[in-house]
Amino acid sequence: MRPENVSTKQEQIAKLARNNPSKVFTSLNQYINYDWMLRAYELTRKDGAVGIDGQTSQEYALKLEDNLKSLMHRMKSGKYKAPSIRRAYIPKPDGSKRPLGISTFEDKIAQRAIVMLLEPIYEQTFKNFSFGFRPKKSAHEALRHLRNNIMDRGGRWIIDVDISKYFDTINKTQLRTFLNRRVTDGVIRKLIDKWLKAGVIEGDKIHYQLTGTPQGGVASPMLANIYLHYVLDEWYADVVEPRMEGRSSITRFCDDFVMVFENYNDCIRVFRVLGERLNKFGLSLHADKTCIVDFRFKRSQHDKSQKPTTFKFLGFIHLWKKSIKGKFVVLQRTAKERLAKAISEINEYCRANRHKPLPEQHQKLSRKLRGHYAYFGITGNHKSLRSLVHQVERIWRKWLSRRSRKSKIYWDKFRDVLKKLPLPKPRVYHQYCVGERNL
């Protein structure tokens, strides 16, 4: 494999897109060769659920070179047939279920190969306030961007936005129109159309969706970002922001975004037209979850609105707190439902595995805690992390005490267990600035 060849080609595409903002790419498929397909294979997850053909990554790798060459030929000749997607559901923190589309392993490789072509182009186009599913971007960068804009730019009024069933309501015709602005390569566009038209298998039935892109598909996040770039990001940057009386900002992570305003009237004006803007492109705001948040940290007794005073974004609740020095700062703490979900999962593990050896249980619990810290370990969130550790200790002792009638473990004895098998201590992985320990 020669990944440097692939990266060189991507840099060439990026340079063309950057130097020619209005350029329409008509012959992108020329960049696809065996090295390109091999790189797409390397970037494809090998531990995901299998698609409708039941083929695993290990089975595909047995004849890797032949399989990749065959796939490349079918993609470029137009003979590739996008397989139907297997529908699965995963629970959301609010108790509802999120639908996912599970593609075959080969289809994931094909989609990855096309995403590798589109990324260099659209990375020159996307706005710097868009963070979701982009190379070298992350949820923590989005959280930091949001926090800094609130504190540094006088953000006091928030529009907390939820787009109802975003992936399922993307207008495919409009998406094709947006793609026409940058990519008209026949090979690429036919492949994208095949994925958009692919059937969805649920149980023993197959159906075809008139709108939307399947969540879980490798290409879906890219297509979703392209759609909202033209529907929302360009509209905000070109139309909304120049008309504001005060300062404003937007932070977007795919379909999850927050708009921040210094001026209340600006906030109201945008809130009134936001739904109309989205409706124009087949999207709609979730009536119960989209709201204006009064995020002022100082309000007089006669000026206290009935609007919410905190909001959630990317699993964190945002609120004002006074530091030790008396300065108001924005804290981002683990949202209650996300903390409850983590505790519930650990409780279920301890219940189901209480008879296993203690070192094995300790290793698994430590891995779960470190995974939680890796995401929720941000500046100012130490209290929530400590709360989780306390709950894990309580749950672990409870289920160890229920191994048998004679296995009751009191706290004195359990503390001896924790001395031998200590759980990892809370750790801040994402520090916003040195010296904020006074939070």
Side-chain angles (χ1 to χ4, degrees):
M1 180 182 62
R2 290 168 291 187
E4 65 277 3
N5 292 346
V6 175
S7 62
T8 299
K9 290 180 179 180
Q10 288 181 311
E11 289 171 7
Q12 292 172 355
I13 298 170
K15 185 177 179 180
L16 283 171
R18 184 168 54 251
N19 293 339
N20 304 276
S22 59
K23 179 179 176 57
V24 179
F25 289 80
T26 60
S27 57
L28 282 172
N29 73 89
Q30 64 175 315
Y31 293 99
I32 300 178
N33 59 12
Y34 178 74
D35 283 347
W36 192 278
M37 298 303 298
L38 188 57
R39 184 59 179 159
Y41 165 80
E42 291 291 334
L43 294 174
T44 301
R45 281 186 57 182
K46 310 300 188 297
D47 57 349
V50 298
I52 60 170
D53 62 353
Q55 187 179 47
T56 65
S57 59
Q58 293 80 9
E59 292 169 344
Y60 193 86
L62 293 176
K63 296 182 178 179
L64 182 60
E65 184 174 350
D66 291 341
N67 287 334
L68 291 179
K69 287 182 177 179
S70 171
L71 175 59
M72 179 181 67
H73 173 73
R74 283 177 282 134
M75 288 171 63
K76 299 185 76 168
S77 66
K79 295 180 180 179
Y80 182 75
K81 295 182 180 180
S84 297
I85 297 165
R86 182 165 63 85
R87 175 74 84 199
Y89 293 89
I90 59 172
K92 296 172 67 175
D94 61 4
S96 60
K97 292 185 177 182
R98 184 190 303 278
L100 286 181
I102 301 175
S103 305
T104 64
F105 183 71
E106 183 177 69
D107 196 54
K108 292 175 184 177
I109 298 172
Q111 291 192 38
R112 176 60 60 192
I114 300 308
V115 169
M116 287 163 55
L117 285 172
L118 298 178
E119 270 183 355
I121 298 171
Y122 286 99
E123 279 302 303
Q124 318 310 313
T125 303
F126 289 156
K127 303 295 184 182
N128 59 8
F129 51 74
S130 170
F131 296 89
F133 305 106
R134 293 180 58 189
K136 300 180 181 179
K137 298 281 187 179
S138 69
H140 296 99
E141 286 187 65
L143 289 164
R144 186 176 305 181
H145 179 269
L146 173 59
R147 181 180 183 272
N148 290 346
N149 272 288
I150 293 174
M151 295 186 63
D152 299 341
R153 296 171 60 85
R156 298 297 179 264
W157 296 94
I158 310 291
I159 301 180
D160 185 10
V161 183
D162 187 280
I163 301 178
S164 181
K165 299 181 179 179
Y166 171 62
F167 283 86
D168 293 333
T169 55
I170 290 175
N171 185 295
K172 296 179 181 180
T173 301
Q174 187 63 60
L175 174 59
R176 293 184 183 100
T177 301
F178 289 149
L179 287 169
N180 285 341
R181 299 187 184 185
R182 303 292 334 241
V183 178
T184 59
D185 181 299
V187 171
I188 309 304
R189 294 298 301 275
K190 284 179 182 178
L191 284 167
I192 293 175
D193 272 349
K194 288 177 180 179
W195 290 318
L196 292 176
K197 294 176 182 177
V200 177
I201 295 178
E202 202 162 353
D204 57 352
K205 296 181 179 180
I206 183 170
H207 62 273
Y208 298 89
Q209 296 176 304
L210 298 177
T211 61
T213 62
Q215 293 189 61
V218 174
S220 288
M222 169 60 72
L223 298 177
N225 265 336
I226 292 171
Y227 199 77
L228 268 189
H229 169 78
Y230 292 109
V231 171
L232 178 71
D233 298 355
E234 280 199 344
W235 173 70
Y236 171 79
D238 299 340
V239 178
V240 175
E241 190 172 30
R243 288 172 168 78
M244 297 293 97
E245 295 176 6
R247 292 173 293 184
S248 67
S249 67
I250 182 173
T251 304
R252 183 170 73 82
F253 193 91
C254 200
D255 63 322
D256 197 0
F257 66 96
V258 173
M259 306 180 83
V260 179
F261 301 89
E262 181 182 26
N263 186 291
Y264 174 71
N265 289 332
D266 289 341
C267 182
I268 289 294
R269 288 166 58 202
V270 174
F271 185 75
R272 287 172 179 168
V273 299
L274 180 60
E276 295 177 7
R277 174 67 182 181
L278 296 180
N279 289 342
K280 183 179 177 181
F281 298 94
L283 307 176
S284 60
L285 295 173
H286 195 297
D288 298 328
K289 296 181 180 180
T290 301
C291 62
I292 291 178
V293 178
D294 183 351
F295 206 59
R296 295 172 293 173
F297 56 81
K298 287 185 179 180
R299 292 182 296 169
S300 68
Q301 293 294 326
H302 304 289
D303 190 29
K304 289 190 176 181
S305 67
Q306 298 301 311
K307 295 180 175 64
T309 56
T310 62
F311 66 95
K312 288 177 285 188
F313 184 62
L314 299 181
F316 291 86
I317 189 167
H318 295 66
L319 66 159
W320 287 101
K321 279 287 184 179
K322 261 189 178 181
S323 68
I324 294 175
K325 294 182 179 180
K327 178 183 177 182
F328 279 98
V329 294
V330 174
L331 287 190
Q332 296 165 316
R333 289 183 173 166
T334 311
K336 289 183 179 179
E337 60 268 23
R338 296 295 289 270
L339 185 60
K341 181 183 178 183
I343 292 171
S344 176
E345 289 177 352
I346 288 173
N347 181 73
E348 180 58 28
Y349 169 79
C350 290
R351 184 198 66 78
N353 297 274
R354 61 186 181 272
H355 297 294
K356 291 186 177 180
L358 284 181
E360 183 179 337
Q361 293 186 50
H362 171 260
Q363 184 181 34
K364 186 69 173 181
L365 290 174
S366 297
R367 190 180 301 121
K368 288 179 177 291
L369 283 173
R370 290 192 186 99
H372 187 89
Y373 300 158
Y375 183 76
F376 290 100
I378 68 173
T379 300
N381 196 35
H382 206 267
K383 182 178 179 180
S384 296
L385 302 182
R386 290 201 310 270
S387 174
L388 177 63
V389 175
H390 173 73
Q391 292 294 331
V392 172
E393 291 176 351
R394 183 185 64 80
I395 290 168
W396 197 17
R397 186 196 71 85
K398 178 185 76 172
W399 287 111
L400 289 179
S401 295
R402 297 185 183 183
R403 282 179 151 186
S404 67
R405 293 181 179 179
K406 297 181 180 180
S407 61
K408 182 70 174 178
I409 298 180
Y410 294 97
W411 275 104
D412 288 344
K413 183 178 179 181
F414 184 65
R415 289 191 182 96
D416 291 335
V417 172
L418 290 177
K419 286 180 181 179
K420 296 178 181 178
L421 300 170
L423 294 171
K425 295 181 180 180
R427 177 183 168 188
V428 173
Y429 281 79
H430 310 279
Q431 191 166 4
Y432 288 162
C433 61
V434 177
E436 282 200 31
R437 294 181 181 179
N438 59 354
L439 291 174

